[in-house]
Amino acid sequence: MKIEFFDTPELLAQTVASSIIDFVIAKPNAVLCMASGDTPRLTNKYIVEAAKKNRIDFSRVQFVSLDEWVGIPPSNTGSCYYFLNETIFEPLNIPTTNIHFFNSTAGNLSVECERINQIVEDLNGIDIILVGIGMNGHIGFNEPGVSPDLFAHVINLDPITLQTGQKYFSETAAIQKGITLGISRIMQSPLAILLATGSKKAAIIKKTLEENISNAVPASFIRKHANAFVMLDREAASLLNK
Ligand code: PGA
């Protein structure tokens, strides 16, 4: 794992966007897994701008879902799908056949997990996984206490996720569980990128990078990844030992 520091969230987002664009130029049928949330919004904006300006062809890129709120349909503006559709899929005209998202309203979520696991296997894995970090150290919906041995799974959301998660919804949402790719899948991807910006992430970034690697802070497992980058703006890095 490497840590990279940026003066501003804009510089961070520009760098991540350029890396993704360069990857897609080199591998037009890349398989990407991108987080939703406030943190990647700027990165996604720069990806779309650069792709349009330079006419980068995203039509063969495959997108795999990182996570979704159980029971929340894609039409809900707070869903992970809605965010990615609004910031990436629609602006880049991604064919629906290239979007492999958790159906979190499926009757049998174990079958749904197996469906996504199989899709990832059929695609020969995910080339780049881009994650944010929750206030409790979750990545995807790998909540504190999660087993690092899991692939796609359903999990009870941690109280902090239940609380902070409401910010994405226009009306109070009945959320309780999440469906997510597991730590094992993140560890298997050849490149994992964790983004954190803002002073509110400083304390959890310090725990992630300076305390023991354990499921108490699931993001800490990324330190075991041979090719992971933790990209921090100045504020998110502000509590780290220099
Ligand atoms: P945020 O969410 O980018 O909205 O802060 C991050 C996360 O919970 O993974």
Side-chain angles (χ1 to χ4, degrees):
M1 179 208 63
K2 295 200 188 81
I3 308 176
E4 293 195 358
F5 300 98
F6 298 87
D7 277 341
T8 66
E10 287 76 17
L11 285 173
L12 181 156
Q14 277 161 8
T15 303
V16 178
S18 300
S19 315
I20 293 193
I21 291 279
D22 289 347
F23 193 89
V24 169
I25 292 170
K27 187 177 180 190
N29 63 345
V31 181
L32 305 181
C33 174
M34 298 173 67
S36 51
D38 292 336
T39 314
R41 193 173 277 280
L42 205 49
T43 298
N44 292 2
K45 178 173 169 262
Y46 291 142
I47 290 172
V48 169
E49 280 175 9
K52 285 191 170 166
K53 184 166 156 233
N54 303 310
R55 298 176 192 275
I56 312 298
D57 181 13
F58 268 70
S59 65
R60 290 168 58 206
V61 176
Q62 303 281 333
F63 288 88
V64 175
S65 177
L66 174 64
D67 55 6
E68 188 56 279
W69 310 97
V70 165
I72 301 292
S75 56
N76 186 311
T77 55
S79 69
C80 299
Y81 178 86
Y82 194 95
F83 171 86
L84 283 164
N85 192 48
E86 187 187 31
T87 62
I88 292 280
F89 304 152
E90 225 176 62
L92 292 179
N93 294 317
I94 306 299
T96 49
T97 46
N98 293 8
I99 300 170
H100 312 284
F101 227 86
F102 283 118
N103 171 7
S104 76
T105 60
N108 187 331
L109 292 175
S110 310
V111 171
E112 184 58 15
C113 288
E114 282 319 306
R115 185 182 74 84
I116 291 289
N117 283 336
Q118 190 59 51
I119 286 171
V120 176
E121 296 300 325
D122 293 346
L123 290 169
N124 288 319
I126 296 167
D127 293 309
I128 305 179
I129 295 198
L130 189 74
V131 295
I133 180 168
M135 299 295 287
N136 56 3
H138 76 190
I139 47 177
F141 280 141
N142 290 284
E143 301 289 308
V146 72
S147 161
D149 302 329
L150 296 174
F151 287 89
H153 62 281
V154 174
I155 191 164
N156 287 324
L157 296 171
D158 179 75
I160 294 179
T161 301
L162 294 176
Q163 196 189 331
T164 56
Q166 291 295 342
K167 71 176 175 171
Y168 305 114
F169 295 93
S170 54
E171 292 171 6
T172 306
I175 47 175
Q176 225 176 358
K177 292 173 187 275
I179 185 166
T180 186
L181 297 186
I183 299 286
S184 282
R185 184 64 72 196
I186 295 171
M187 298 304 286
Q188 270 189 4
S189 73
L191 173 58
I193 304 173
L194 186 153
L195 311 180
T197 55
S199 55
K200 71 177 181 186
K201 296 289 170 67
I204 194 63
I205 283 296
K206 185 174 177 65
K207 282 189 184 171
T208 299
L209 297 176
E210 294 180 355
E211 291 187 3
N212 291 340
I213 297 176
S214 92
N215 64 3
V217 180
S220 64
F221 288 116
I222 208 157
R223 285 157 57 195
K224 291 195 196 172
H225 193 298
N227 193 34
F229 290 82
V230 175
M231 318 277 261
L232 306 173
D233 75 347
R234 201 189 336 210
E235 289 186 358
S238 59
L239 295 178
L240 293 178
N241 294 328
K242 293 288 180 285

